[in-house]
């Protein structure tokens, strides 16, 4: 088994009310004098009250191109990444010298050397550290990263692995783009980071956290164009198709039931659902597809309202909050799930 020893999350420094962000987007994205009623409706329906941003709002309109945004991503991701790993290790009672593997996932900036290498140098991680930077998994990256941590520790049960996610979504907002996809994204996504410390079976007894039992990945190639980036001179331009909830309604229930059945379980046996909050329509689709009581995704709804969608980091923040506030009965199963570009579904079976 793989034991989760600690989960730590952090948010970018500037907390802004949704209405303030909407006003900034109106100035930055809409033509002068344009009717902003569609923008107001999209942001109002996002289910978000406030988000954390990397920059003060008035600086986004002056951010000069993809290069400047990406430079800011590298600097901020390194700072936030080092901070959340340091705190997660402290919570687990481990040191930098204990870490054998560092997996880094992000989809909101690029760096070579990768952010994990920069964080390793900042924290003094061992020079023989194994590193796996992941790019392109989007909102599914937190769940997929946990699954890859589990894969690694199954073969090295005496070792310690860290998963780091940093997503600075506000740095990808496209100025001068009044497309529906960009307006939805500017109303939904926020900035944050998270780190998970996990250990293999030979060290698991030292920690009280849940165990990772198994994982499942599912790719829906017939929906490959509904979510992702178009990458060009201005950076990352969001692809966000309104059909995503319908894809989930069509596929998710069968995937979850089949995965759980392989472990002698049914959806009603799951005592906590750790679900990525892709947005209100995504959460509604998950609730509908799995026939869940509304309160089962209460932590996800609250995270969406208070922080927005943090892409790959969100599901790890929700895992942290579930452990801190709604810890299920010991020995019962939990399911962590997220959806990302591909279109892909990532499932991680937990035992509390």
């Amino acid at each position: 088994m793989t034991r989760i020893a600690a989960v730590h999350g952090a948010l970018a420094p500037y907390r802004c009310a949704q209405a303030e962000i909407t006003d900034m987007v109106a100035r930055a994205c809409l033509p002068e004098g344009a009717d902003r009623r569609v923008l107001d409706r999209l942001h109002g329906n996002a289910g978000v009250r406030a988000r954390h941003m990397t920059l003060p709002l008035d600086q986004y309109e002056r951010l000069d191109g993809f290069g400047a945004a990406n430079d800011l991503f590298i600097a901020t991701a390194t700072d936030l990444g080092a901070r959340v790993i340091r705190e997660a290790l402290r919570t687990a009672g481990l040191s930098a010298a204990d870490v054998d593997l560092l997996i880094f996932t992000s989809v909101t900036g690029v760096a070579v050397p990768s952010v994990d290498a920069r964080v390793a140098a900042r924290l003094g991680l061992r020079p023989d550290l194994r590193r796996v930077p992941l790019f392109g998994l989007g909102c599914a990256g937190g769940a997929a990263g946990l699954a890859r941590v589990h894969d690694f520790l199954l073969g090295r049960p005496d070792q310690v692995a860290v998963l780091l996610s940093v997503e600075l979504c506000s740095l990808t907002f496209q100025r001068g783009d009044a497309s529906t996809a960009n307006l939805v994204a500017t109303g939904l996504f926020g900035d944050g980071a998270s780190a998970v410390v996990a250990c293999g079976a030979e060290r698991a007894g030292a920690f009280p956290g849940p165990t990772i039992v198994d994982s499942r990945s599912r790719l829906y190639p017939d929906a490959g164009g509904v979510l992702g980036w178009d990458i060009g001179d201005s950076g990352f331009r969001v692809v966000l198709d309104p059909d995503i909830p319908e894809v989930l309604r069509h596929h998710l229930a069968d995937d979850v039931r089949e995965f759980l059945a392989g472990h002698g379980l049914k959806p009603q046996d799951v005592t906590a659902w750790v679900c990525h909050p892709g947005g209100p329509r995504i959460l509604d689709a998950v609730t509908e597809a799995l026939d869940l009581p509304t309160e089962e995704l209460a932590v996800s709804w609250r995270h969406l309202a208070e922080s927005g969608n943090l892409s790959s980091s969100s599901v790890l923040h929700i895992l942290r909050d579930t452990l801190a506030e709604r810890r299920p009965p010991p020995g019962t199963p939990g399911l962590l799930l997220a959806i990302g570009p591909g279109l892909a579904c990532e499932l991680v079976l937990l035992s509390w």
Side-chain angles (χ1 to χ4, degrees):
M1 61 181 173
T2 295
R3 177 82 69 181
I4 293 175
V7 186
H8 188 77
L11 297 166
Y14 299 98
R15 182 170 174 82
C16 305
Q18 181 79 326
E20 296 176 293
I21 298 172
T22 305
D23 289 341
M24 180 272 287
V25 171
R27 294 191 301 269
C29 298
L30 300 182
E32 188 174 351
D35 187 339
R36 54 176 282 176
R37 283 178 294 181
V38 171
L39 169 65
D40 290 337
R41 176 175 56 80
L42 292 172
H43 280 214
N45 291 339
V48 179
R49 289 195 296 266
R51 284 174 282 160
H52 288 252
M53 314 288 275
T54 299
L55 293 171
L57 283 180
D58 62 356
Q59 293 189 24
Y60 283 93
E61 296 170 66
R62 302 197 297 268
L63 193 59
D64 187 20
F66 176 50
N70 199 64
D71 287 347
L72 186 58
F73 168 84
I74 294 170
T76 306
T78 303
D79 290 343
L80 267 180
R83 173 181 157 195
V84 292
I85 291 177
R86 187 182 294 113
E87 289 301 314
L89 288 173
R90 183 189 62 78
T91 300
L94 297 171
S95 71
D98 292 311
V99 180
D100 301 288
L101 170 73
L102 174 57
I103 294 179
F104 170 66
T105 185
S106 183
V107 75
T108 52
V110 291
V112 181
S114 53
V115 168
D116 49 288
R118 298 164 194 258
V119 167
R122 178 81 60 88
L123 295 177
L125 301 182
R126 298 197 322 256
D128 65 341
L129 173 78
R130 290 179 172 88
R131 297 182 297 110
V132 182
L134 302 175
F135 180 83
L137 294 170
C139 297
L146 272 184
R148 301 293 80 77
V149 161
H150 177 57
D151 294 342
F152 175 84
L153 291 174
L154 285 176
R156 294 175 171 82
D158 61 332
Q159 295 195 357
V160 173
V162 173
L163 168 64
L164 170 64
S165 163
V166 184
E167 301 285 14
L168 306 179
C169 304
S170 69
L171 299 180
T172 70
F173 294 172
Q174 298 291 299
R175 292 178 299 171
D177 180 357
S179 67
T180 299
N182 189 53
L183 298 184
V184 169
T186 58
L188 186 59
F189 290 96
D191 298 353
S194 49
V196 179
V197 178
C199 61
E202 292 180 12
R203 305 181 68 150
F207 304 101
T211 56
I212 300 174
V213 178
D214 197 5
S215 67
R216 171 76 60 91
S217 298
R218 179 67 190 273
L219 193 62
Y220 309 130
D222 57 331
V226 301
L227 180 63
W229 295 127
D230 282 335
I231 302 176
D233 292 343
S234 63
F236 300 124
R237 188 171 186 269
V238 71
V239 176
L240 199 59
D241 194 289
D243 286 340
I244 296 171
E246 292 309 312
V247 176
L248 296 183
R249 287 186 177 92
H250 184 70
H251 291 290
L252 185 62
D254 288 344
D255 292 336
V256 168
R257 290 192 185 102
E258 181 182 327
F259 178 47
L260 292 176
H263 296 272
L265 299 169
K266 298 177 181 178
Q268 54 264 38
D269 298 320
V270 174
T271 56
W273 297 85
V274 182
C275 179
H276 171 74
R281 295 181 68 234
I282 299 297
L283 289 174
D284 285 341
V286 171
T287 301
E288 220 176 282
L290 300 176
D291 195 24
L292 299 177
T294 304
E295 62 270 15
E296 288 290 346
L297 301 186
V299 179
S300 299
W301 281 104
R302 190 190 70 194
H303 173 84
L304 178 66
E306 295 180 354
S307 306
N309 180 341
L310 306 180
S311 191
S312 66
S313 279
S314 277
V315 77
L316 304 179
H317 279 248
I318 293 163
L319 175 61
R320 176 203 62 188
D321 291 348
T322 300
L323 293 172
E325 303 166 15
R326 296 171 61 108
R327 185 180 288 268
T332 61
L335 192 66
L336 183 147
L337 64 115
I339 309 299
L343 192 70
C345 176
E346 295 286 341
L347 304 173
V348 179
L349 181 61
L350 304 170
S351 179
W352 303 114

